[in-house]
Structures are given as C-alpha cells and as structure tokens.
Amino acid sequence: MPNLRTKSVRIPTLIFEKSQPGRIGVNLPQEDTPKVNINEAIGNTRETFHFPEVSELEVMRHFVNLSHINYGIETGFYPLGSCTMKYNPRINEATASFTGFRNIHPMQPDYTVPGALEVLASVYDILKEVTGFDEIAMQPVAGAHGEMTCLMLIKAYHDSRGEGDKRRIVLVPDSAHGTNPASAARCGYDVKTIPTSPDGDCDMEALAAALDDTVAAFMVTNPSTLALFERNISKICEMVHAVGGQVFCDGANMNAMVGTTRPGDHGFDCMHLNLHKTFSTPHGGGGPGCGAIGLQKHLEPFTPSPALIRVNGKATLDHNRPQSIGRVSSFYGQFLMAVRALTYLLAYGKERMSDISRYSVLNANYVRARLKDVLPPAHDRPCMHECVLTAKKYKQNGVRALDISKRLIDYGFHPPTNYFPLIVPECLMIEPTETESKQTLDEFCDALIKICHEAETNPDILHEAPSTQVVGRLDEAKAVKNLDVRWRPSTITESV
Amino acid sequence: MSVPADLKYTKSHEWVKVEGDTVTIGITDHAQSELGDIVFVDLPTVGRALGASDSFGTVESVKTVSDIYAPVGGEVVAVNETLGAQSELVNSDPYGEGWLVKMKLADAGELDGLLSAEGYEASLND
C-alpha cells in the first residue's frame, strides 16, 4: 500500500535529523573535580550512538511540537470500545501528588505508613460494596494480570480440594477478550470455546454439554463484549457450580454496572476490575494499570501475599498466609493509583455512584439509536455501556470497517475499536463513556453518518483516509512483518 | 467471492483438494478476505499425525489470530515453506500458491463429511 503522506501537512523531523556537529544544550560550570576524559572512561558515546547534537531550545520545540500532534481524551472524543476512555478528573492528580503519598518509599516499615494502608483499606471497603464480593486484593498491575491472578486462585482452590489434576478445562465464550484464553493457557489449562446464541447470550445448550467434573472454571465477561447484559448469568453460575467449577467475571465492562448491579450478587466467585478504566486512574499513555480483584470468602486463603486486612479496624499487611499463591507483583501494586481511585470513588459518593453506569449506558444507547440506519447494531436490543455495530453493508462498495475508522480521523475523532468482538462481521465497537455531552455525541454521529454516505457515493475518499494527518494510511501488514523503528545515521547522509 | 467447484470445504473455512490418497489444504477466499492482510502462518512439522478437526496451526492477520483445523485425519507430508517469507500469498492466491499443508489421508471415508462448493456457499449465507 502506498504511503499517502500529504504534502500540505508539515512532517516533523526526527530529533536526530536536527543534529549539528558540536551543538550542545547545556553549558556546564567550571569543574572542581579531577578531570576525566569521558571518551576514555565510557567510549565516544556521541559517535557510537549518534546522540543528536542540539540546543535546549531545539529540544524544547521538538517535543512540544510532537505533543501537539498527539491525540488524547484531553484533546478530543475517544470512543475506543472495550477500553472505557473516560475523563480522569484533575482532582485525582492533586491528591496523588500530596507529599505524604508521593514521598513514601515502598521499603518503609508498615508501621510508618498507616495512612497509606488506610487509603488501600478504604478502597477495598468501597470496592467490596460496589462489586458485592467478600474480599478485594490489589497487587495485580493490569487487567489481564488480575484475570490471571484470579485463575491462579481458582487453581489453588481446586488443588486444595484434591481436584487440581482432574479439572483441566477452562471454558471461554467465543466473544471473549483474547486475554481470557491466554490467561487460562498460561495457568496450564486447556481452553474450550462456548458459542454465542443468535440473540447474543451465551449458548446454554452448548454450555450444558461442555460442563462436567473436568471443568475448572468458566470465564464470563458481563456485560459481554457484544455490550449485552448476559441475561442468564445467575443460571450460568448455578450450572457451573453444580459440577464443581468456578465462575470468573471479566470486569472489563464494569462501567455498565457501577452502582446499579453487583457481580458478587450474580453468583460469580471472583472478578477483576480495571481501576485504570472504570475508576478513572490514568489509562492512555500507559497508566500504570491496576487490576484489582474481587473474590468470595472461599478463595480468600489463596490471595496474593501480603494481604491487606483490617485487625480491630486498623489496616495491616498480613504476611502470614500459608496457602497464598505468593506475590504477583513487587511491593503492593501501584499505590498512587489507589489514591486516585479513592478520590474518584469519594467524589461520586454512594448516592451518585450509579450515575456512572446510568449515563454511560444512556450515551451508548443514544449513539446506537442515532446510527441505526447507517450502521445497524449487531443485536437489536438495548446495549449496555457501548454499542457494537456492523458496517457489512458497505462491503459491496469495497468499503470495510477499517476504512470508516480511518476516515473518522479526518473528521477529528479517534476511531472506535475495529473488528472486535471477532464474531461480528465488519465490527465497529463504540464506547462513549459517561463523561461526554450530547453535543459531542451528536458531532460524532453526524460525522459517521456523513462518512457512511461517502462510502456509498465516493468510496475512494475512505480508502485514502486519513488525508489530514502527519502520516497517511499505514501499511499494517508491513509494520508487523518488517518492523523497523530504528533510525540509522545513513538516512541523514542520504537526505542531506 | 471465489469458491472453486472442484474442491471440498469445511464450515471453518478450510478447503481440501483430493489427489489420490493425498489432500492439499488451505483457507478459503472468504476466510482470507475476512481475516485481512495475513502476516504470519504457523504450520505443523512434516510427519505429524492429525485427527479430523484437530487444530494444526494458526493464521495471523493484522486483525486477529485464527486456528486452522484439519478437515480430515492423516499424516502431514508437506507444508508450504514459501509462506514463511511470503504469507501474503494466502491473500493473493488462497487456492493456489497460498496452500498450507499436504496430508496423507488416513480414512478416505472422512471426505464424505466435507461440504461441496454449493454447500459451503450456502453455509456462508446462513
């Protein structure tokens, strides 16, 4: 595929290409220590590694200009489905920067950080109430990490009952996130896929046929990745429990349930939460993530060690956990994420917590209803916090879902998730989150309606999109097969 | 979407070409079109014995990774080594240069369980 860089857009140069021999950014003061020849000490790093030789002003302009072509929730609408790219209120950052939180060291003895432990315990208390689980643990540092930790707990539980050897199957729906089978495989299980019925719920007959005493667990995303509430969820949990299996809830879609309904009440044994999605700790830009887990009492002995418990009301780290699966991360997860999540949870408060799920579900249904003629939903029933639409009718014009997404960039929007879930043809998955206004949603829907019209009248404009950006359509296959992100000095010689 | 009449098919979008007791297996034009640009093909080793509907490899595209299933049982006698460097052949010529493996049939009777071109086309419209 040709590289469609447009001439009208200024393409930023690499900082290496700005380099001028001998130019430096900082004048160091007169030395008052013995002179060391740096080239002799560590080699000629500038020559060897071709560090750019640029001034401070050039460095400043270079990175500020790069930051201006960045796109994030703070510059525009970010409807990436299954990712919950909600706005992270600034007050979270204010509390996370309190010196008492920021300047503590993970190696400090527990008795010197009672405030920090109380923050963690407070997050636990609230998350227990929000999810309906008996216990919370917060060592995992990503969603998939929380998922895997839950499966490790399930494995330890079966082992403790002498059933570890016989229970070697983990069931996963065909609509699941790819991390589900990956976590199961990583824990040594064989994965069996359960199909989805035509109405979007779990295929109950297929599930019943797959259930026997070799099943260790069923991993269910609720609402499912089709953005539908699994209407048989309690029945599913009963059926799995009847053969001695455990049920894990993939909490990726918790935003649809916060304050309205609780997975712990549905019959689940454990779940993971993405604090970096649902509870507004940073997400874009790499987080860091926080994959807290919720679990019922019977899994509690196996939680990662140390566990945070309350003794006479006082938050304490318990290192004496003989049945624990051990540590799953160093220290105690991402502590400052707990501060941000607590700020967010307290800012909403118990009374308004359901606003999160109510407005996110309302926004997604608004988008679904406005787009239904141009991009019909994969299932014709109310959606949860995101909507799953299909662009298959434009295939006859040679337009694919990806082309529509690329064209959205020209209209100033971040594309939605494409081609997931895999079982929906030409899939576009749109998650507006609760933090967007009707005006923004209207602008976005207007753009998509225009693009769908273009798909019928001028499909080439979609194939060539994006045409307003620094780079045009990238060759994704080449990017995978011939990954080359290394700058080489020879290119400078050639271009000069 | 091309569905050659002289091949047999599976619901999971593999095609089978029968030549004596040897079968050539690949993925259909529909499958490659749905997967998009294919970037990596993981194939079994020659000599591996497979049962019908065993997963024997994966096809990775820019969108997803899919398992490939053996339409019939038998022993792998050849794999398409060219795909290591040119996986795009599965997109450009799915029924020809983009073949995946050749197998020696264990039980010719299993071929009766496969779909005809007509049957496969009908399954696409389900």
Side-chain angles (χ1 to χ4, degrees):
Chain A
M1 207 173 287
N3 184 345
L4 294 170
R5 286 183 176 199
T6 50
K7 297 280 180 295
S8 58
V9 185
R10 216 179 103 224
I11 301 165
T13 51
L14 298 177
I15 195 160
F16 300 97
E17 296 167 320
K18 294 190 167 86
S19 183
Q20 292 296 325
R23 184 171 292 172
I24 53 168
V26 183
N27 281 318
L28 296 172
Q30 204 76 48
E31 294 142 67
D32 56 0
T33 52
K35 219 178 179 108
V36 174
N37 184 325
I38 195 158
N39 289 348
E40 274 172 23
I42 60 169
N44 188 343
T45 50
R46 277 183 181 241
E47 277 249 309
T48 314
F49 301 112
H50 305 283
F51 286 161
E53 299 179 65
V54 283
S55 71
E56 183 177 324
L57 178 59
E58 282 171 318
V59 174
M60 180 63 74
R61 283 184 184 154
H62 178 76
F63 287 107
V64 171
N65 281 326
L66 282 184
S67 76
H68 285 175
I69 54 174
N70 216 354
Y71 189 98
I73 189 72
E74 282 140 10
T75 54
F77 184 41
Y78 208 134
L80 199 61
S82 215
C83 290
T84 314
M85 303 303 286
K86 64 170 73 175
Y87 174 61
N88 305 147
R90 290 302 95 180
I91 190 175
N92 297 355
E93 300 306 314
T95 52
S97 65
F98 287 173
T99 49
F101 294 138
R102 201 180 56 197
N103 293 347
I104 55 176
H105 193 278
M107 296 295 275
Q108 273 179 243
D110 300 354
Y111 70 84
T112 65
V113 287
L117 296 179
E118 182 57 34
V119 165
L120 287 168
S122 303
V123 175
Y124 281 27
D125 293 342
I126 300 173
L127 291 183
K128 277 182 207 171
E129 206 173 333
V130 169
T131 60
F133 283 100
D134 296 331
E135 301 293 338
I136 299 287
M138 232 168 64
Q139 271 192 26
V141 291
H145 193 192
E147 209 181 274
M148 197 179 88
T149 304
C150 281
L151 280 188
M152 290 165 77
L153 297 182
I154 288 173
K155 199 171 175 107
Y157 169 76
H158 288 313
D159 282 345
S160 76
R161 294 157 55 93
E163 294 191 346
D165 290 338
K166 107 177 149 178
R167 296 192 181 271
R168 52 194 166 69
I169 308 259
V170 166
L171 306 176
V172 175
D174 59 1
S175 58
H177 293 107
T179 51
N180 288 184
S183 293
R186 182 67 186 78
C187 289
Y189 286 115
D190 293 329
V191 177
K192 212 185 244 180
T193 307
I194 302 297
T196 301
S197 69
D199 62 5
D201 288 320
C202 171
D203 183 331
M204 298 297 277
E205 271 176 39
L207 176 63
L211 284 175
D212 58 30
D213 65 1
T214 64
V215 170
F218 187 22
M219 304 178 81
V220 185
T221 307
N222 196 28
S224 70
T225 61
L226 294 163
L228 302 173
F229 193 87
E230 186 62 63
R231 290 176 292 196
N232 300 312
I233 191 58
S234 291
K235 174 82 185 147
I236 289 170
C237 292
E238 267 172 41
M239 286 164 66
V240 178
H241 288 153
V243 297
Q246 297 280 291
V247 196
F248 161 77
C249 177
D250 180 317
N253 295 340
M254 184 66 197
N255 217 46
M257 298 193 280
V258 180
T260 301
T261 184
R262 311 193 307 168
D265 299 338
H266 302 159
F268 285 106
D269 298 287
C270 52
M271 84 177 295
H272 91 275
L273 295 164
N274 298 296
L275 297 195
H276 51 278
K277 290 164 63 169
T278 319
F279 299 107
S280 169
T281 67
H283 185 190
C290 185
I293 58 173
L295 42 127
Q296 305 292 18
K297 202 83 204 164
H298 63 282
L299 294 175
E300 192 268 344
F302 313 104
T303 53
S305 175
L308 186 86
I309 55 170
R310 282 193 189 277
V311 179
N312 301 326
K314 190 167 165 272
T316 313
L317 284 176
D318 179 16
H319 294 264
N320 180 22
R321 319 245 343 140
Q323 287 185 281
S324 165
I325 57 167
R327 278 189 180 277
V328 296
S329 72
S330 54
F331 303 115
Y332 209 74
Q334 310 284 10
F335 169 67
L336 287 176
M337 294 304 141
V339 178
R340 290 178 173 94
L342 181 62
T343 309
Y344 181 76
L345 290 163
L346 292 177
Y348 267 97
K350 190 173 181 170
E351 293 69 29
R352 284 185 49 228
M353 196 74 79
S354 66
D355 282 2
I356 297 170
S357 50
R358 285 167 51 229
Y359 282 99
S360 65
V361 170
L362 177 66
N363 279 358
N365 278 287
Y366 181 72
V367 170
R368 185 181 71 99
R370 273 218 58 196
L371 296 177
K372 70 177 190 319
D373 294 334
V374 291
L375 294 167
H379 295 90
D380 192 14
R381 65 188 235 209
C383 63
M384 293 291 113
H385 65 305
E386 56 196 350
C387 53
V388 175
L389 314 178
T390 172
K392 68 178 173 192
K393 70 170 164 174
Y394 302 104
K395 224 171 138 182
Q396 59 187 21
N397 302 32
V399 169
R400 312 294 290 256
L402 183 74
D403 300 315
I404 293 174
S405 278
K406 295 290 185 190
R407 185 63 177 152
L408 258 178
I409 298 172
D410 284 338
Y411 283 87
F413 294 104
H414 193 286
T417 293
N418 280 218
Y419 303 121
F420 184 81
L422 301 171
I423 55 175
V424 174
E426 298 305 313
C427 183
L428 291 169
M429 186 194 221
I430 300 169
E431 181 176 7
T433 83
E434 71 279 14
T435 54
E436 297 298 337
S437 68
K438 179 175 178 295
Q439 288 70 29
T440 302
L441 299 182
D442 278 332
E443 282 168 24
F444 174 74
C445 292
D446 289 344
L448 265 178
I449 291 165
K450 253 187 228 166
I451 292 167
C452 290
H453 181 67
E454 289 173 346
E456 280 169 338
T457 56
N458 188 5
D460 281 347
I461 208 168
L462 274 71
H463 296 140
E464 285 158 20
S467 56
T468 58
Q469 301 298 306
V470 170
V471 290
R473 184 75 68 99
L474 301 172
D475 184 339
E476 294 182 29
K478 197 176 172 198
V480 176
K481 290 166 76 170
N482 304 314
L483 181 66
D484 182 7
V485 291
R486 185 184 155 200
W487 172 83
R488 288 178 184 78
S490 60
T491 56
I492 238 187
T493 330
E494 280 160 17
S495 67
V496 167
Chain B
M1 212 56 71
S2 151
V3 184
D6 59 332
L7 303 178
K8 292 183 173 296
Y9 299 89
T10 65
K11 276 199 163 171
S12 51
H13 311 290
E14 289 90 8
W15 56 260
V16 180
K17 184 177 181 181
V18 187
E19 286 162 309
D21 63 351
T22 307
V23 290
T24 307
I25 296 161
I27 65 166
T28 64
D29 191 24
H30 171 80
Q32 70 76 20
S33 160
E34 286 303 308
L35 287 167
D37 290 341
I38 287 159
V39 294
F40 183 68
V41 182
D42 185 27
L43 294 174
T45 47
V46 171
R48 185 169 152 195
L50 295 169
S53 62
D54 280 359
S55 163
F56 68 77
T58 53
V59 175
E60 182 177 345
S61 73
V62 291
K63 282 191 218 168
T64 184
V65 181
S66 288
D67 283 326
I68 330 162
Y69 300 96
V72 288
E75 185 192 325
V76 178
V77 292
V79 299
N80 189 350
E81 305 281 359
T82 325
L83 301 179
Q86 288 176 275
S87 56
E88 65 273 16
L89 289 173
V90 180
N91 292 115
S92 58
D93 191 7
Y95 299 112
E97 300 272 300
W99 65 277
L100 302 177
V101 298
K102 289 183 196 290
M103 281 171 60
K104 200 168 183 76
L105 263 177
D107 172 10
E110 283 181 352
L111 294 170
D112 299 337
L114 299 176
L115 298 170
S116 64
E118 270 181 3
Y120 177 63
E121 270 186 288
S123 81
L124 292 181
N125 297 326
D126 275 353

